[in-house]
């Protein structure tokens, strides 16, 4: 049976990248798959999180899922730490994954930066917990942005090695689903860098909580170049920022990049930015308003997450028990 699992870290500043690369695609997929959408709070603490902020951010990510149109009855929505089986399976996977595999993870290198010795051990084994998230439910499909590709390859390697080591086909090899016009939304300040929650500059990202004024200001200040909008997709050489803005426009307006070039080719970027602001405000403002409505009623969000955790746990427990039996853990 096909089953989707995906998640977002509650590490603050949810971005347009999270929405276009992941959450928006989930909204489409919920009609065709059984889906489990998680707020991965245990992943978030691999880097320091202020406790009160973490609680708030966890509700905020859930609020964004709901505001974007994820149906909490049809799907399972919960926060990772509420289902302790994630931590248990992650430990088993810590003993399956090889150091050499983790040493190749580019996201660890980026996040740990120059001072690797000072990174948390959790950050290093982060991909093992991610594999546990998916495989705890025997997840078959994982809709994510482009930056998670390597982690998903590792999840497949872990599933395969576990099956081989124990001589049983316990886990499926989960398939990445990386699709849509914006699998990699770039920073508004530097078109070679990913738009990220953790960028020190607020102007690098459009946030899911930004109001119309903030969106307009950030788009106005977004880096471009002195040339007009290209009239074909061949006109983007050395123009990463121009391409990114046009990609965002296309993604928000359900248009191919070719179509955006055909419509705006030859115009100034000042004019194009006005059109982009208009569509961004039209698409994002209803979501941020609805997010705020959920944030004003935390009890409602908590009730949804509690219900989701119970349903997630009901799927996870028999699978965890099967894994423990295969490993040989005694049931006293
Ligand atoms: P996170 O919280 O960094 O990002 C959440 C989702 O948003 C996508 N994304 C982007 N897509 C396009 N352009 C961008 N600039 C951009 N920035 C982020 C990410 O690809 C992701 O899909 N490790 C994961 C969370 C996770 C997970 C999982 C995902 C934990 N366990 C199991 C899937 C399955 C992460 O850090 O996502």
């Amino acid at each position: 049976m096909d089953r989707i699992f995906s998640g977002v870290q509650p590490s603050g500043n949810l971005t347009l990248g999270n929405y276009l690369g992941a959450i928006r695609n989930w909204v489409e997929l919920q009609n065709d798959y059984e889906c489990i959408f998680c707020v991965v709070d245990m992943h978030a603490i691999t880097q320091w999180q202020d406790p009160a902020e973490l609680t708030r951010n966890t509700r905020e990510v859930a609020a964004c899922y709901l505001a974007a149109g994820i149906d909490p009855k049809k799907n399972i929505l919960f926060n990772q730490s509420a289902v302790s089986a994630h931590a248990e399976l992650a430990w088993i996977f810590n003993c399956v994954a090889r150091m050499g595999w983790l040493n190749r993870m580019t996201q660890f290198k980026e996040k740990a930066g120059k001072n690797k010795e000072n990174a948390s051990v959790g950050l290093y084994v982060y991909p093992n917990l991610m594999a546990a998230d998916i495989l705890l439910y025997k997840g078959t499909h994982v809709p994510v942005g482009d930056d998670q590709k390597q982690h998903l390859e590792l999840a497949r390697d872990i599933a395969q090695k576990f099956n081989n080591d124990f001589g049983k086909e316990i886990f499926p090899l989960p398939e990445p689903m990386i699709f849509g016009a914006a699998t990699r939304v770039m920073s508004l300040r530097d078109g070679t860098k990913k738009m990220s929650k953790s960028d020190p500059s607020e102007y690098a990202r459009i946030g899911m909580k930004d109001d119309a004024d903030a969106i307009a200001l950030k788009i106005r200040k977004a880096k471009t170049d002195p040339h007009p909008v290209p009239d074909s997709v061949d006109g983007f050489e050395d123009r990463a920022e121009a391409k990114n803005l046009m990609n965002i426009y296309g993604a928000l307006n359900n248009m191919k990049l070719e179509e955006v070039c055909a419509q705006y080719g030859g115009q100034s970027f000042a004019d194009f930015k006005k059109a982009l602001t208009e569509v961004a405000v039209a698409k994002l403002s209803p979501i941020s308003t609805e997010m705020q409505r959920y944030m004003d009623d935390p009890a409602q969000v908590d009730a949804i997450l509690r219900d989701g955790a119970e349903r997630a746990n009901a799927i996870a427990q028999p699978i965890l028990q099967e894994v423990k039996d295969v490993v040989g853990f005694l049931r006293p």
Side-chain angles (χ1 to χ4, degrees):
M1 192 191 52
D2 287 342
R3 181 179 280 154
I4 278 180
F5 185 99
S6 199
V8 174
Q9 294 188 67
S11 42
N13 300 324
L14 266 180
T15 73
L16 180 65
N18 299 129
Y19 178 62
L20 292 178
I23 300 169
R24 192 176 69 158
N25 289 346
W26 305 352
V27 177
E28 269 176 51
L29 293 162
Q30 67 179 334
N31 299 317
D32 301 319
Y33 290 84
E34 180 191 342
C35 298
I36 304 175
F37 298 123
C38 189
V39 184
V40 289
D41 49 5
M42 286 158 66
H43 276 107
I45 64 161
T46 57
Q47 292 182 298
W48 171 251
Q49 304 295 326
D50 173 79
E53 288 280 308
L54 179 66
T55 307
R56 202 195 129 73
N57 289 335
T58 301
R59 290 198 184 104
E60 198 163 272
V61 172
C64 185
Y65 293 178
L66 294 163
I70 305 273
D71 178 347
K73 293 242 153 36
K74 205 163 180 298
N75 309 283
I76 294 178
L77 256 69
F78 76 109
N79 59 314
Q80 188 183 30
S81 62
V83 178
S84 55
H86 287 255
E88 294 181 66
L89 186 59
W91 177 258
I92 295 173
F93 287 171
N94 284 343
C95 305
V96 173
R98 305 288 95 181
M99 299 275 285
W101 300 357
L102 292 173
N103 286 340
R104 285 195 287 275
M105 293 295 115
T106 54
Q107 205 156 85
F108 173 77
K109 290 179 201 162
E110 279 164 27
K111 286 195 177 172
K114 289 201 179 71
N115 197 357
K116 240 175 36 189
E117 297 291 313
N118 199 35
S120 75
V121 177
L123 188 66
Y124 185 66
V125 294
Y126 176 116
N128 297 347
L129 176 59
M130 182 161 159
D133 294 341
I134 303 161
L135 296 170
L136 183 60
Y137 304 93
K138 301 198 178 185
T140 55
H141 293 80
V142 188
V144 284
D146 182 70
D147 62 333
Q148 295 301 312
K149 213 188 241 169
Q150 197 187 29
H151 286 158
L152 288 179
E153 278 160 20
L154 189 95
R156 291 168 65 90
D157 289 343
I158 289 176
Q160 179 109 60
K161 181 162 164 41
F162 185 97
N163 291 346
N164 286 347
D165 285 354
F166 294 98
K168 287 208 172 83
E169 288 301 302
I170 302 292
F171 295 119
L173 305 190
E175 296 277 346
M177 298 174 108
I178 300 172
F179 67 96
T183 54
R184 194 172 179 83
V185 179
M186 308 308 278
S187 154
L188 300 182
R189 307 300 295 166
D190 175 353
T192 62
K193 264 174 50 189
K194 194 182 70 168
M195 183 182 283
S196 148
K197 296 186 198 99
S198 55
D199 198 298
S201 168
E202 244 321 295
Y203 289 101
R205 63 181 158 261
I206 294 179
M208 293 309 288
K209 283 189 306 183
D210 287 352
D211 61 18
D213 288 345
I215 294 174
L217 180 65
K218 288 178 182 180
I219 293 179
R220 202 161 62 239
K221 282 187 171 280
K223 189 174 166 202
T224 40
D225 54 45
H227 307 293
V229 174
D231 57 10
S232 100
V233 288
D234 302 328
F236 285 119
E237 205 174 320
D238 297 326
R239 302 189 68 186
E241 287 83 13
K243 186 173 183 186
N244 185 41
L245 292 182
M246 292 175 69
N247 252 333
I248 293 174
Y249 183 94
L252 287 169
N253 227 8
N254 293 318
M255 279 166 80
K256 291 208 176 75
L257 191 56
E258 290 85 354
E259 294 170 319
V260 184
C261 292
Q263 186 169 342
Y264 290 98
Q267 292 194 17
S268 73
F269 259 96
D271 286 340
F272 176 74
K273 282 178 167 183
K274 285 187 193 134
L276 176 58
T277 301
E278 213 168 283
V279 66
V281 169
K283 300 279 176 173
L284 302 178
S285 287
I287 301 179
S288 65
T289 307
E290 188 65 1
M291 267 174 84
Q292 190 52 51
R293 202 184 60 71
Y294 280 109
M295 290 306 283
D296 291 340
D297 187 1
Q300 186 191 5
V301 176
D302 292 4
I304 288 171
L305 292 174
R306 201 177 315 117
D307 170 66
E310 265 172 38
R311 287 154 62 206
N313 199 45
I315 302 174
Q317 282 305 331
I319 296 176
L320 181 66
Q321 190 55 61
E322 182 188 12
V323 172
K324 284 176 157 179
D325 289 343
V326 167
V327 170
F329 287 160
L330 177 73
R331 279 206 230 184

